Amino acid sequence: MSVMESVDVVVVGTGNAASCAALAAKEAGAAVLLVDAASEDDRGGNTAYAGGQMRVAFNGVDDLTKVIADLTDEDIRNTDFGTYTASEFFDDMARVTQYRCHSELVEYVIDNSLDTLVWLRSKGVRFEAAFGRQASKVDGRMKFWGGLPCIVWGGGAGLIDALHARAKKDGIRTLYETPAVGLLRDANRVTGITVLHKGETREIRAKAVVLACGGFEANAEMRARYLGPNWDLAKVRGTRFNTGAGLRMALDAGARSYGHWSCAHSSCWELNAPEYGDPIVKGAYQKHSYPFGVMVNADGNRFVDEGADFQTLTYARFGREVLAQPGLFAWQVFDQRAIPLLRETYRIRQVTQVQAATLEELASKMEGVNADGFLKTMREFNRAAPADEAPLNASVKDGLGTKGLALPKSNWARPIDRGPFEAYAVTAGITFTFGGVKITTNAEVEDDAGRPIPGLFTAGEMVGGLFYHNYPSGTGLTCGAVFGRTAGRSAASFAKSM
Ligand SMILES: Cc1cc2nc3c(=O)[nH]c(=O)nc-3n(C[C@H](O)[C@H](O)[C@H](O)COP(=O)(O)OP(=O)(O)OC[C@H]3O[C@@H](n4cnc5c(N)ncnc54)[C@H](O)[C@@H]3O)c2cc1C
């Protein structure tokens, strides 16, 4: 096999984690090469599809001004940004993962979250305040909720453009359409990767390798094998290139499998969305305003507590719940109390939507749904929901739940009785998988004995042990940036020690 390149650090992938690793390794003095299975047009993996929200621990607006350059004095005067302390961030991670997340890795992410966003800014990433998504007007002032005031300008695609512009400026080269297919090893360490390049298997020799090439969400066979029946039928919300190749390479090299392999991040996604993410529509297929309505299945029954928590803390497990329903679909139903609050993703052209003046008429239009079952569900729900006239407010869990239902709706429950009504058909869209390999806080990949495999580092979706059962929104990019940056630094330092 011929040697194609020889570098200090080769980074596999061009998404958030890979780009951060490449920039950090370069900053530390290493010669760096990026390789991606995708073409240049399709670069950036799932990151290019992301909304761009990044969860960060902060102690007040002064911390945010270090990240968001464009905050004006007027913004600061008219907005309650609140705080999101490290312990609140940790509590959210612990609670949603049912206290299984690896505390040391999570603490590392949280403690480095603010500093990493500031570093991203220094690399040319522009952040803005997520007024449109995470704030609402309370007593005449905008109030943020949920630890998510920071969003990348231009979303995930903007993040990729900024990081790659900087990589180019730093002289980092990228080989596209060059999938990594294996790791090279000698007796002591990982010595590079094998790639497919223009139909030939070639070697890229490196003193250190960073694998940042995503989970197995785009691999139907692995989804069925690890996540279970019908997961092969889920829609993929993002890139088609994350097929688990990186995980397989790491496991073959002796990496310790870690985390929740039988679970994934998945959310309510337009029923007729294409098989993989659409680079134009991107995340707009998502349907996350269910806390203000109800979701029913083919039998017309509700199947989740739509108001269990803020949507940012429930949406990543509700795709799984939809996938478990007969026919693998659900309808989200809203009345005039909720319709003004629906996110912009409900207003795109590519929606499966029906409207009707009455619930009876709506029932007849919701394809695949048992009308009698649905109307019975709505009668019971409307009797159980408090007839409170206070407007629905997304920024607080209002505690107004149903009374006496076997399956409650815990917050934002109101009778759904003000026509005209709207309903939207959804299925499960998988975002990324939770199973991965175990790393140290230096992003070194551990073997089964818990020892670092010399020369092998990883970051991003390939890291196991961060997410179990569920996920707080905006954490994927933050974890990927923190461990990507760390992997780059560690790989450069390892390469230097060779
Ligand atoms: C629609 C959508 C919206 C989202 N919104 C948010 C959000 O607002 N905030 C947030 O925090 N997270 C969000 N996420 C999740 C977030 O995008 C991911 O967690 C994150 O981007 C993963 O980054 P990564 O670098 O690990 O992987 P990716 O960005 O997926 O990059 C993986 C890279 O590896 C490449 N690759 C794969 N296999 C190979 C191979 N064999 N050889 C070479 N290259 C390979 C891929 O082509 C790709 O470039 C969203 C995801 C989606 C799909």
Side-chain angles (χ1 to χ4, degrees):
M1 206 187 314
S2 62
V3 178
M4 189 176 165
E5 302 265 352
S6 231
V7 288
D8 291 334
V9 176
V10 64
V11 180
V12 183
T14 60
N16 172 49
S19 310
C20 289
L23 292 179
K26 181 73 189 179
E27 193 176 68
V32 184
L33 179 71
L34 284 159
V35 301
D36 199 336
S39 67
E40 187 164 2
D41 283 349
D42 286 334
R43 75 176 181 194
N46 270 347
T47 308
Y49 292 85
Q53 286 194 287
M54 292 186 74
R55 191 171 284 263
V56 61
F58 66 98
N59 290 316
V61 70
D62 288 349
D63 280 343
L64 296 181
T65 57
K66 296 177 196 158
V67 177
I68 308 170
D70 303 336
L71 272 187
T72 63
D73 290 345
E74 202 185 340
D75 289 335
I76 293 171
R77 247 193 335 271
N78 295 334
T79 310
D80 176 4
F81 287 96
T83 60
Y84 188 59
T85 61
S87 66
E88 285 173 297
F89 195 159
F90 191 87
D91 285 351
D92 281 341
M93 280 293 289
R95 196 173 72 252
V96 305
T97 61
Q98 299 181 22
Y99 302 94
R100 282 183 179 270
C101 60
H102 191 281
S103 56
E104 205 190 344
L105 294 178
V106 168
E107 258 166 25
Y108 183 82
V109 168
I110 294 170
D111 291 347
N112 287 283
S113 59
L114 182 65
D115 184 55
T116 301
L117 265 60
V118 174
W119 177 79
L120 285 171
R121 181 180 166 187
S122 78
K123 298 292 177 195
V125 176
R126 189 170 148 201
F127 287 92
E128 54 185 344
F131 280 110
R133 291 176 74 135
Q134 290 300 138
S136 38
K137 215 161 214 170
V138 179
D139 300 332
R141 264 185 113 205
M142 291 303 277
K143 181 179 167 56
F144 273 87
W145 52 279
L148 289 158
C150 297
I151 186 165
V152 178
W153 189 84
L159 177 62
I160 289 299
D161 286 348
L163 294 176
H164 282 266
R166 179 58 189 249
K168 196 169 171 195
K169 196 164 154 219
D170 286 356
I172 298 170
R173 285 184 308 123
T174 307
L175 296 175
Y176 293 104
E177 299 180 61
T178 305
V181 290
L183 287 173
L184 297 168
R185 289 203 70 156
D186 66 15
N188 301 316
R189 65 177 183 93
V190 170
T191 57
I193 57 173
T194 51
V195 296
L196 275 180
H197 185 72
K198 299 190 173 151
E200 265 188 78
T201 308
R202 311 282 301 270
E203 286 187 0
I204 295 177
R205 298 262 170 90
K207 293 177 184 152
V209 174
V210 179
L211 292 174
C213 44
F216 60 86
E217 55 272 8
N219 182 327
E221 187 269 344
M222 284 182 82
R223 289 203 302 272
R225 182 143 47 110
Y226 292 108
L227 304 179
N230 289 333
W231 278 96
D232 36 353
L233 304 179
K235 310 265 182 186
V236 178
R237 296 180 66 206
T239 180
R240 66 190 305 142
F241 291 98
N242 290 357
T243 56
L247 289 170
R248 259 197 300 244
M249 284 186 269
L251 294 176
D252 287 349
R256 177 180 168 202
S257 67
Y258 202 67
H260 200 172
W261 275 77
S262 58
C263 197
H265 178 307
S266 63
S267 65
C268 295
W269 195 246
E270 158 57 32
L271 179 66
N272 293 302
E275 197 179 348
Y276 299 105
D278 177 306
I280 309 290
V281 179
K282 293 198 181 113
Y285 286 124
Q286 69 204 21
K287 298 289 169 274
H288 292 170
S289 295
Y290 53 79
F292 309 124
V294 290
M295 286 203 275
V296 294
N297 64 14
D299 299 325
N301 294 329
R302 291 174 55 245
F303 53 93
V304 290
D305 176 352
E306 300 88 345
D309 208 327
F310 287 121
Q311 156 269 316
T312 50
L313 300 179
T314 58
Y315 79 108
R317 65 183 170 87
F318 278 2
R320 182 165 80 238
E321 301 289 355
V322 173
L323 197 84
Q325 302 312 308
L328 325 183
F329 71 88
W331 285 85
Q332 298 181 349
V333 179
F334 305 100
D335 76 348
Q336 289 301 321
R337 282 180 231 249
I339 287 167
L341 295 181
L342 297 185
R343 288 183 166 212
E344 69 284 4
T345 58
Y346 288 76
R347 299 294 167 230
I348 63 170
R349 275 193 305 118
Q350 299 88 340
V351 286
T352 307
Q353 182 220 45
V354 293
Q355 298 176 334
T358 63
L359 286 174
E360 286 72 17
E361 188 191 347
L362 195 75
S364 70
K365 291 183 170 177
M366 286 161 44
E367 202 178 321
V369 174
N370 178 314
D372 291 341
F374 168 66
L375 291 170
K376 179 167 175 278
T377 297
M378 296 312 289
R379 276 193 302 274
E380 287 169 1
F381 180 86
N382 285 347
R383 271 200 301 270
D388 196 282
E389 289 306 316
L392 290 161
N393 179 355
S395 64
V396 284
K397 284 197 272 181
D398 64 9
L400 291 172
T402 53
K403 295 261 169 359
L405 289 183
L407 176 60
K409 180 176 174 191
S410 302
N411 292 285
W412 306 290
R414 307 284 193 284
I416 297 178
D417 57 2
R418 293 189 185 165
F421 303 90
E422 292 181 5
Y424 295 80
V426 294
T427 186
I430 184 166
T431 320
F432 67 91
T433 45
F434 291 162
V437 295
K438 175 68 175 58
I439 61 166
T440 66
T441 51
N442 290 324
E444 302 153 305
V445 176
E446 289 180 14
D447 67 12
D448 280 329
R451 290 179 300 244
I453 298 175
L456 187 60
F457 304 85
T458 194
E461 294 177 358
M462 289 184 58
V463 174
L466 296 172
F467 308 115
Y468 294 79
H469 302 290
N470 193 9
Y471 159 100
S473 69
T475 332
L477 291 177
T478 301
C479 291
V482 168
F483 279 121
R485 182 187 183 200
T486 301
R489 280 179 179 161
S490 299
S493 146
F494 184 85
K496 218 175 268 176
S497 73
M498 280 293 94

